[in-house]
Amino acid sequence: MLRQGVRLSSAIARRATSIDVDALGVATITLDNGKVNMMDRVLMPELIDGVKQCAKDGVKGFIVQSHKPNIFCAGLDIKQLHDKPRDEMEDFWRLLQDSWFTLYNLDQPMVAAVNGAAIAGGCLIACTADRRLMLRNTKGKIGYSAPMLGMVTPTFVMSTFQSIVGNREAELALGTARLYNAEEAHKAGLIDILADNPEELHALARKEVEQMIKIPNQARAITKKLIRVIKPKLKTDSSCLVKIINKVRPDEVYNLAAQSHVQVSFDLAEYTADVDGTGTLRLLDAIRTCGLEKSVRFYQASTSEIVQEVPQSETTPFYPRSPYACAKVYSYWITVNYRESYGIFAVNGILFNHESPRRGYAFVTRKVTRGVAKISLGLQKYISLGNLDSTRDWGHAKDYVEGMWLMLQAEKPTDFVLATGKTISVRTMVEEAFRNINVEIHWKGCGLEEEGIDAETGETRVRVDPKFFRPAEVDALLGDPTKAKKLLGWEAKTSFKDLIKEMVEHDIQMMKENPNA
Ligand code: GDP
């Protein structure tokens, strides 16, 4: 049994790593062999052993940090890669791979506390973590300098990097050995949180781990695996899917992983087709390959974007208006087809926009509530938006998740629309969001000149920017949830007003804690 509050010595922490376990069972691994580029053939096996031992001893979470100020000293020891016999080099790469996968596949949450420059191996190790915190320090940079040294970035690192910063950014960054300063890394998504001083860095890391360990072990371990493996690979790697399905042998599969941003799908059309379209086929096939077609219940996240008439029910004809929607139409039909051909309990949920404080920043509700929060704290002057006249049927994500689950508990598999049955314009949503900070918005001008003005102070709080208009737009979305109400007893419980209030309040709190969030 693990003794808490002690520094684990010799057996685990031999020379290069010290591991402190605190009262909560969080282990802080400090990389500490005196060198900057310290990932060598001594440190790596120590790290693996230490982490495995801790996991066996019941450690609940990990923080990785470096002992040197201003340097996250986990760089690769390049010297060990030059003019060395081939088997030594092979040994080096094998150990690196082992360390990488050990950290990456930890069931426990891991946070990297990057205290400064983290290039080559530093970034590589940071990418294995669930969350990355970085010190906002002018010297600190993170990224891969490896290509500049003539080293090819290992594929497993590359795919993680891609899933963090996106395909295009990763291609550019790896091709040019790009290093990001803390702000840029934060913007690209490579860093989750920036800290202003070294003391704060560890405290924040601790807080992050603490939050993650509140999630029940099994749920977190499975979610981590699915998110990590499925997110980047689901849509491109069938054998990987088969392995996961075979290992987890699930009762229910919810196919939610997608490139889900409509606007982005115009830029990444082929990738979207592969991920959101063919990916569903691969997942259904993996279920069959594992012989689970008679036991698994499969939920396909279809979308309201595939139809255009309003109000939309389960029988409204499809008319996809974006590469995203086209891919989702394919997934809709392949789900129906596998249900009819192989008897899989597979259903499509056509869900109208479901929002919550967890919504991505690029979606309009979150963009607005985040902007309103910033404006209320004096951190931003106005919000730039695109089409203010389009209308959406906005509900709370938690209600919809319950509906998804109900679909898989039904007696027979069939497809459902989940919606609130009310449609509201972007303009009205903006007004509602501002009302939560006691600002009444009045509109003046029209088209690109239109502005939302604070009625009391006369300040401009909303502007229109053509870059947020879409090449093809779904002007109005409105769903008819009658079938779900009748067969599942489901209906949206949270009102639009309460939803927006929750999102604004959450974002104000978040901004107060971290103005850069
Ligand atoms: P979608 O319904 O899945 O496309 O969800 P979004 O939240 O991305 O967009 C909802 C609606 O808001 C669409 O009709 C957009 O054209 C409109 N909209 C207006 N301004 C913006 C903006 O700045 N960002 C986004 N994402 N949408 C905007």
Side-chain angles (χ1 to χ4, degrees), residues 316-457:
T316 309
F318 294 158
Y319 183 11
R321 299 272 289 156
S322 63
Y324 165 74
C326 293
K328 286 283 189 174
V329 169
Y330 174 82
S331 281
Y332 177 95
W333 283 116
I334 202 69
T335 301
V336 173
N337 184 256
Y338 271 52
R339 175 167 82 212
E340 291 171 355
S341 308
Y342 305 111
I344 297 187
F345 189 112
V347 305
N348 285 290
I350 301 179
L351 270 49
F352 282 66
N353 299 49
H354 31 290
E355 318 292 313
S356 84
R358 294 183 180 183
R359 191 55 140 154
Y361 295 152
F363 291 86
V364 76
T365 49
R366 191 72 199 285
K367 182 172 166 183
V368 168
T369 60
R370 189 164 168 256
V372 166
K374 283 199 166 200
I375 289 169
S376 81
L377 298 174
L379 299 168
Q380 185 175 314
K381 293 222 172 313
Y382 60 87
I383 308 169
S384 298
L385 294 171
N387 183 358
L388 297 168
D389 294 316
S390 66
T391 73
R392 289 291 180 269
D393 183 332
W394 277 301
H396 197 304
K398 68 183 177 196
D399 295 342
Y400 288 69
V401 170
E402 194 187 347
M404 283 157 47
W405 177 78
L406 282 171
M407 284 180 213
L408 295 198
Q409 315 314 311
E411 213 167 294
K412 285 198 191 118
T414 168
D415 309 316
F416 288 97
V417 162
L418 297 186
T420 69
K422 297 185 192 93
T423 191
I424 291 170
S425 69
V426 172
R427 190 188 300 279
T428 306
M429 183 268 295
V430 170
E431 290 165 9
E432 185 58 41
F434 273 99
R435 238 167 249 138
N436 285 283
I437 58 162
N438 299 320
V439 171
E440 202 56 46
I441 291 290
H442 284 179
W443 301 96
K444 113 173 171 208
C446 60
L448 294 181
E449 304 304 319
E450 184 163 8
E451 288 183 352
I453 310 283
D454 179 334
E456 203 179 301
T457 65

Side-chain angles (χ1 to χ4, degrees), residues 13-28:
R14 275 171 295 193
R15 191 171 69 87
T17 47
S18 63
I19 303 184
D20 288 291
V21 183
D22 66 17
L24 199 75
V26 175
T28 299

